[in-house]
Amino acid sequence: MNKKTIIHIIDDDEAVRESLKLVIRSADYEVVTYHSAEIFLKKFKPESAGCLLLDIRMPGMSGLELQALLPTLHIYIPVIVMTGYGDVPTAVRAMKAGAMDFIEKPYNHDQLLNRIDACVNDAKSRETLAQQLKGINRVELLTPREREVMTLLVDGKINKVIAAELGISTRTVEAHRANLMEKLQAKSLSDIVRISVLRNKQLISAPY
Amino acid sequence: MKDIKTLNDNQLLQQLNLSKASLADRTSENDLDYLALDLQIHQISLELKNRALRKSQIALKQSRDRYTELYDLSPIGYVDLDKKGNIIDINLTACKMINKERAQIQGGSFHRFLTQNCKNTFAKHLQRVFDTKQKTVNELELQTPWQNIISIRLESIATNNDITHQVSCRSAIIDINASKQALTTLNTKEDFAENLIQIAPSIILVLDTVGNIVSVNAFFELLTGYSLVEVKGKNWIETFIPLREQDHIHSLFYNATHGNRAAGNINPIMTRSGDEKLIEWYDTALLDNAGNFNGILAIGQDITSRINVEMALLESEHQLRLITDALPVLIAHIDNQQCYLFNNKVHHQWFSLSDAEITGKHIKDVFGKKAYAILAPFIKSALDGEQVACELQLPIKNKNDCFVMVNFFPYIPNSGTLNGFFALMSDITQFKHREVDVLQRLITLAHQSRLNMLGEMTSEIAHELNQPLTAISNYCAAGLRLHKVGKLATEEIPKFLSEIIGQVERANQIIRHLRDFTQKRELQLKKLNLNDLITDVLQLMVGEKHKYDVSLSTALEAENACVLIDKILIEQVILNLLRNAIEAMADQKNQNRNIIIRTLTSNTNTIVVKIIDNGPGLSDELMSQVFEPFFTTKEDGMGLGLSMCRSIIDTHQGKLWVTQNARVGTTFNIELPLHD
């Protein structure tokens, strides 16, 4: 493990920022914190790039705005976006904008550290990608109805709404959802979102 | 023998008897002695006679002097004149009248003291006295060079002088100047009366025994347009009384001629122009010296306009009665002794009494003792000339929970002295109950609206709650991980734990706030600092603020921000206004979205909260509509937010209004009364 790898955290909430710093430090990473996107842009040095943990909701420049700005400033750094619990649409938008990954607050810390590791470690990153690609391929196993349900879930819709839109009962939606999660080997909604976004990227551009 | 002159009367009588006795004892031996004795007796007798004569002479003189004094000092002048009019004798009073000394004028002519006018009369007077010997009376005028003319009455009789047997004229001169002057005044008064009759603004009419006109005054001529010459001798009733009234007046006239007067009769008369004038009459029967009916003197007052005014007054009084009776307000006029002079229908019906049962009664007797005890201080103020306005709960018999709005107006008429007060009262019991209902509904609505609002804000609030939870979870994870690898220094543990406690408290605050906010509860007015309240509210807004990327800043300038409010309701209003401002600015792209919350004390009594945004602002049309219920610009809005906010602020005796900023955006203003 590269001890020099620096993890950057941008979060306006001091308590969250400082506690997160302790967690990541406990995994033997260097951590630099910033309380706004603007300060990050001012202080960031490209050579120290390891990974960026970015809070989506911030006063001033938001996480998504910063994400959009980075390529234009020729800053290339893997970004993990931190979103509120169940904020699927924002996660989808972040992923589409090029985020490597996203994680919901409050975190599963092991998962968080794994994702960070994956981001900074090429090999692990590839492995994760392969796993995700497997997931992408498994989409082929889904029935048309299950795919419809998946699309709507990724749009951030809740079961009741999906049921209404498809003209089926909520219970049926729940059944479809359980089935598709099993087929995709997804543990959570965020897994579904990840698979969906990656699959769409794959369909548009060449796969990794 | 002693000189008889030195003897007194008794001694003299003694001597006389002695001498007579001596004479009787003697014989005529000696004629000389006898003679001498006889002479002495004569002498004594003579002396005695002389003395008696002298006495009667003195008495006579005294009597004469007394008479002269009476004569001279009599208040009536006396003069004795001879046939030619020369003064034989004159008393002092008469002398005074002509301002001369008695000695100067005695024997002189009386003529010269008379004015030229009456000299002839005097001559005839004198002649009549001497010729007829009868008492003669004439009024004459005395004149002296330095005196004014004096009017006198000369009353003369002829007298015979016992001694001279000459006939003289004895005259009494009576000063009648005073009575003469009074008579002159009387004449002037008659003129005055005549003038009065002519210029009096009343009709003065004299009718003869059959009702023909004898005389009228100038006012009559003015009023009727007829002159005296035209109407004299014409029949009053036929000429002036309208046909329809003639029978009635005939009978009145008949009664008057028979001594039955009808005072104050009112009847119309016709004028030359054909108008009718209403006259109020006062009649007096005219009687001759023998007491026989001789005609009628009638004095008439033109009351046409008075009657019109009275009618108008009655009419307006009637109208006023109608209005006051129709008004749904209890109206009464109370006098200085706290008794009813007047009360309207609503008033006595409210007490389930009749007008007569209230008018004249004391307030205490009408309201009852308990209610009077409450009213008494206000009544006192009103009678001290102060206006009173208040809401009272009065314990009135047969009325439960009775609320009245009381207005007392001291009545000070033009005379300037207080004449009681007017009491206007409204029964606001139902209104009060409604007020309570309205408040209850507002509380329910506000609660519902808070629930809705929180529903809309759920994800934002969840995010807010997530922050401390995330931090807690981070601290725990970090601690555990460090412990696992043996890197957690013992001295670091308290730091971790206190950080965790801090974050738990943070989460707790949010939850507490949410719980307060979602509770449905009665109005709870508490003394609070409004600046602190605003700081608290902003805590709930953190999520929204982030979501919409709005900068929220405060300028809590009010030094005194102490208000008596329901915390949750006012928080709700501010939250509502903030969310409105945020939503209004949501569509603005690439702009700084700023909201400033400012507090300031505009005067000593109120605090103003200004919520200033730099959004697109409101059109004039919207400005006037935003507070109306069910008005909304949102697709899914109920449109009750702002109207509810205004109701809440109204409930706090405050004001809520919106103004347009000078450059961009809108300001919502909340004004609340400060609490000491």
Side-chain angles (χ1 to χ4, degrees):
Chain A
M1 202 167 282
N2 188 356
K3 296 276 175 193
K4 298 265 167 106
T5 307
I6 301 175
I7 310 298
H8 303 268
I9 304 174
I10 310 178
D11 197 318
D12 63 311
D13 191 304
E14 192 194 348
V16 172
R17 193 170 67 230
E18 295 307 312
S19 59
L20 186 56
K21 184 172 155 182
L22 289 173
V23 173
I24 297 170
R25 267 194 186 161
S26 74
D28 288 335
Y29 285 108
E30 283 284 310
V31 179
V32 182
T33 58
Y34 313 87
H35 75 262
S36 75
E38 286 87 349
I39 290 184
F40 168 80
L41 288 175
K42 216 183 273 177
K43 293 195 173 170
F44 174 73
K45 293 182 181 69
E47 60 272 18
S48 65
C51 174
L52 173 60
L53 283 177
L54 178 60
D55 188 23
I56 282 290
R57 275 196 195 184
M58 284 185 295
M61 193 185 290
S62 73
L64 285 173
E65 282 168 348
L66 176 67
Q67 241 190 312
L69 203 59
L70 290 178
T72 65
L73 296 172
H74 301 287
I75 297 173
Y76 301 102
I77 181 167
V79 176
I80 298 177
V81 168
M82 300 185 285
T83 68
Y85 175 77
D87 189 0
V88 179
T90 309
V92 171
R93 258 158 59 209
M95 293 295 282
K96 282 182 180 167
M100 198 74 154
D101 211 333
F102 73 95
I103 187 147
E104 292 165 294
K105 289 183 190 175
Y107 328 106
N108 174 320
H109 295 91
D110 289 337
Q111 208 175 62
L112 170 73
L113 291 172
N114 282 341
R115 300 266 164 86
I116 293 171
D117 287 348
C119 269
V120 297
N121 188 316
D122 279 350
K124 261 206 158 174
S125 160
R126 269 197 295 274
E127 190 188 308
T128 313
L129 197 64
Q131 262 181 8
Q132 283 171 347
L133 285 174
K134 268 188 225 162
I136 295 167
N137 293 333
R138 282 192 208 104
V139 173
E140 306 301 329
L141 301 173
L142 301 182
T143 63
R145 186 57 110 187
E146 283 165 354
R147 282 196 207 185
E148 278 178 327
V149 172
M150 179 180 173
T151 310
L152 292 170
L153 279 172
V154 173
D155 282 347
K157 284 166 181 155
I158 59 170
N159 291 356
K160 220 161 88 180
V161 176
I162 295 169
E165 285 195 12
L166 296 178
I168 54 179
S169 74
T170 312
R171 194 163 284 186
T172 314
V173 173
E174 279 167 8
H176 284 309
R177 186 171 167 167
N179 285 340
L180 74 87
M181 280 179 81
E182 201 178 326
K183 284 182 185 169
L184 296 176
Q185 293 180 356
K187 291 188 183 83
S188 65
L189 179 62
S190 48
D191 284 341
I192 300 172
V193 171
R194 202 171 292 110
I195 290 165
S196 168
V197 172
L198 289 175
R199 180 182 146 81
N200 285 344
K201 273 188 184 172
Q202 193 188 38
L203 291 177
I204 295 160
S205 59
Y208 282 85
Chain B
M1 195 186 107
K2 283 184 185 171
D3 183 1
I4 54 167
K5 300 228 183 232
T6 60
L7 297 172
N8 68 18
D9 288 1
N10 284 341
Q11 289 169 330
L12 217 51
L13 273 174
Q14 229 173 350
Q15 188 62 49
L16 182 65
N17 291 337
L18 218 63
S19 300
K20 279 182 177 172
S22 305
L23 192 63
D25 289 344
R26 292 227 184 183
T27 52
S28 42
E29 316 160 345
N30 189 346
D31 284 342
L32 203 62
D33 278 354
Y34 184 83
L35 201 66
L37 203 56
D38 197 33
L39 189 68
Q40 193 181 22
I41 292 169
H42 274 289
Q43 223 176 357
I44 292 170
S45 301
L46 193 65
E47 180 60 25
L48 280 170
K49 273 183 188 160
N50 264 344
R51 283 191 184 186
L53 189 68
R54 228 171 15 246
K55 269 181 195 164
S56 74
Q57 248 179 352
I58 289 167
L60 198 68
K61 186 174 183 299
Q62 279 175 342
S63 141
R64 205 198 66 202
D65 284 353
R66 199 159 53 239
Y67 168 74
T68 311
E69 209 170 309
L70 272 174
Y71 173 72
D72 278 344
L73 298 179
S74 153
I76 293 169
Y78 289 110
V79 66
D80 286 349
L81 300 168
D82 65 13
K83 259 190 173 165
K84 287 181 181 163
N86 290 331
I87 297 167
I88 301 165
D89 198 3
I90 185 163
N91 74 344
L92 285 178
T93 309
C95 291
K96 227 172 192 173
M97 282 178 180
I98 52 181
N99 205 25
K100 293 278 183 193
E101 292 292 321
R102 180 161 28 199
Q104 277 184 295
I105 55 170
Q106 219 145 20
S109 166
F110 191 71
H111 282 278
R112 59 196 173 113
F113 304 117
L114 294 168
T115 57
Q116 204 61 44
N117 293 338
C118 64
K119 279 186 171 150
N120 201 21
T121 315
F122 177 64
K124 284 180 181 166
H125 176 89
L126 217 51
Q127 197 178 353
R128 185 167 185 270
V129 171
F130 284 105
D131 288 357
T132 65
K133 308 281 191 293
Q134 278 183 355
K135 182 180 173 181
T136 305
V137 179
N138 276 105
E139 284 180 13
L140 302 168
E141 285 174 338
L142 287 180
Q143 189 171 35
T144 59
W146 301 284
Q147 284 291 98
N148 292 329
I149 292 165
I150 302 170
S151 299
I152 55 158
R153 187 165 74 241
L154 205 64
E155 295 184 7
S156 307
I157 48 163
T159 54
N160 263 316
N161 191 312
D162 293 339
I163 304 153
T164 59
H165 298 289
Q166 286 271 315
V167 178
S168 69
C169 166
R170 175 155 291 172
S171 304
I173 308 167
I174 300 158
D175 186 345
I176 56 165
N177 215 35
S179 52
K180 198 77 177 170
Q181 266 171 9
L183 199 69
T184 316
T185 311
L186 200 67
N187 286 338
T188 316
K189 272 184 183 159
E190 268 167 24
D191 288 348
F192 174 71
E194 177 61 25
N195 282 332
L196 203 65
I197 287 167
Q198 287 307 320
I199 64 168
S202 306
I203 292 174
I204 295 171
L205 169 74
V206 181
L207 301 178
D208 65 13
T209 50
V210 292
N212 290 337
I213 294 165
V214 176
S215 181
V216 296
N217 69 339
F219 186 78
F220 178 91
E221 295 177 326
L222 191 72
L223 192 75
T224 59
Y226 292 103
S227 70
L228 176 60
V229 186
E230 287 175 282
V231 297
K232 195 164 182 170
K234 290 198 174 157
N235 187 279
W236 164 249
I237 294 171
E238 283 163 16
T239 315
F240 285 98
I241 304 298
L243 204 58
R244 63 176 194 279
E245 294 277 340
Q246 285 186 0
D247 284 348
H248 174 57
I249 304 300
H250 268 302
S251 72
L252 282 180
F253 186 80
Y254 177 83
N255 286 339
T257 57
H258 290 75
N260 302 320
R261 295 198 299 130
N265 176 50
I266 295 171
N267 65 265
I269 62 168
M270 295 194 303
T271 66
R272 169 164 260 168
S273 62
D275 292 341
E276 286 188 8
K277 294 278 180 190
L278 213 53
I279 312 293
E280 187 174 19
W281 294 103
Y282 295 90
D283 299 345
T284 306
L286 296 174
L287 305 175
D288 63 13
N289 290 336
N292 296 319
F293 177 72
N294 208 10
I296 283 179
L297 171 69
I299 298 174
Q301 206 71 44
D302 177 12
I303 55 164
T304 315
S305 54
R306 196 184 85 199
I307 288 287
N308 286 342
V309 169
E310 273 173 10
M311 292 294 283
L313 212 63
L314 267 173
E315 183 67 17
S316 76
E317 216 176 85
H318 181 65
Q319 280 174 358
L320 211 63
R321 227 335 156 174
L322 270 179
I323 292 167
T324 51
D325 280 350
L327 278 178
V329 180
L330 282 67
I331 302 173
H333 185 187
I334 310 293
D335 70 12
N336 292 352
Q337 280 68 47
Q338 310 192 8
C339 294
Y340 278 86
L341 293 173
F342 166 86
N343 78 106
N344 70 341
K345 200 170 166 184
V346 180
H347 189 283
H348 49 256
Q349 283 180 350
W350 193 71
F351 283 102
S352 308
L353 294 170
S354 70
D355 190 355
E357 282 172 307
I358 286 183
T359 304
K361 286 273 170 62
H362 195 277
I363 297 180
K364 198 199 287 180
D365 300 331
V366 175
F367 276 83
K369 268 184 191 167
K370 280 186 194 166
Y372 180 74
I374 295 169
L375 282 169
F378 299 104
I379 293 170
K380 190 183 176 300
S381 298
L383 289 176
D384 285 344
E386 284 169 40
Q387 211 164 305
V388 175
C390 55
E391 278 182 24
L392 297 173
Q393 188 174 11
L394 292 179
I396 304 278
K397 205 179 150 191
N398 301 333
K399 286 184 193 287
N400 293 328
D401 252 0
C402 175
F403 286 90
V404 287
M405 186 152 70
V406 173
N407 282 284
F408 290 162
F409 300 97
Y411 177 47
I412 302 171
N414 292 337
S415 63
T417 45
L418 181 89
N419 178 15
F421 61 91
F422 288 114
L424 269 64
M425 292 184 296
S426 308
D427 187 340
I428 53 167
T429 311
Q430 286 193 350
F431 178 75
K432 272 277 166 190
H433 290 166
R434 261 205 303 279
E435 218 172 50
V436 171
D437 284 354
V438 166
L439 184 66
Q440 215 54 52
R441 244 175 278 157
L442 179 65
I443 286 171
T444 309
L445 177 67
H447 176 243
Q448 199 54 51
S449 155
R450 282 200 302 275
L451 291 182
N452 287 346
M453 189 157 64
L454 288 177
E456 288 164 20
M457 289 168 74
T458 306
S459 68
E460 314 313 318
I461 292 166
H463 174 83
E464 261 336 281
L465 205 51
N466 236 336
Q467 297 293 96
L469 291 181
T470 303
I472 290 165
S473 137
N474 285 347
Y475 281 121
C476 292
L480 276 173
R481 290 181 68 86
L482 287 171
H483 175 70
K484 212 183 218 170
V485 294
K487 279 187 184 171
L488 181 62
T490 319
E491 62 268 26
E492 272 192 287
I493 296 172
K495 190 199 154 211
F496 272 66
L497 293 180
S498 60
E499 287 288 351
I500 290 166
I501 291 171
Q503 291 306 306
V504 169
E505 181 50 34
R506 179 180 166 189
N508 236 338
Q509 260 185 26
I510 296 170
I511 290 164
R512 208 164 35 229
H513 212 144
L514 280 175
R515 200 181 47 216
D516 286 350
F517 216 71
T518 49
Q519 252 172 11
K520 188 185 175 190
R521 43 203 259 306
E522 295 302 304
L523 192 68
Q524 289 175 6
L525 294 181
K526 278 188 183 151
K527 210 169 130 180
L528 287 169
N529 184 305
L530 199 58
N531 289 340
D532 294 348
L533 180 135
I534 289 167
T535 314
D536 277 1
V537 170
L538 292 183
Q539 212 180 32
L540 281 178
M541 287 302 296
V542 177
E544 295 274 299
K545 189 173 101 174
H546 284 167
K547 182 177 175 185
Y548 292 100
D549 191 17
V550 171
S551 136
L552 252 174
S553 55
T554 53
L556 305 177
E557 294 162 21
E559 282 177 18
N560 180 6
C562 189
V563 283
L564 188 69
I565 53 167
D566 184 297
K567 181 172 185 270
I568 300 301
L569 288 179
I570 297 297
E571 276 187 359
Q572 184 177 359
V573 170
I574 292 171
L575 208 57
N576 222 310
L577 295 178
L578 286 173
R579 292 187 73 228
N580 276 346
I582 288 172
E583 281 173 32
M585 294 190 296
D587 293 338
Q588 283 176 295
K589 300 270 191 257
N590 304 321
Q591 265 188 31
N592 286 330
R593 294 185 270 267
N594 291 316
I595 296 174
I596 303 167
I597 306 177
R598 219 180 138 195
T599 62
L600 52 127
T601 37
S602 59
N603 56 51
T604 51
N605 303 323
T606 59
I607 182 169
V608 177
V609 182
K610 288 177 176 287
I611 293 168
I612 307 159
D613 68 44
N614 64 345
L618 291 170
S619 70
D620 288 348
E621 200 191 340
L622 289 184
M623 290 271 280
S624 62
Q625 292 177 346
V626 286
F627 292 107
E628 284 172 23
F630 306 111
F631 172 83
T632 184
T633 54
K634 299 173 206 165
E635 273 177 25
D636 53 352
M638 274 277 283
L640 285 173
L642 280 174
S643 89
M644 182 195 67
C645 286
R646 182 168 263 186
S647 301
I648 289 173
I649 298 298
D650 283 349
T651 304
H652 287 82
Q653 272 89 48
K655 277 192 287 184
L656 171 62
W657 73 100
V658 61
T659 49
Q660 204 76 267
N661 296 340
R663 293 184 57 207
V664 286
T666 312
T667 298
F668 278 86
N669 307 268
I670 304 166
E671 189 176 27
L672 288 170
L674 281 171
H675 187 72
D676 306 323

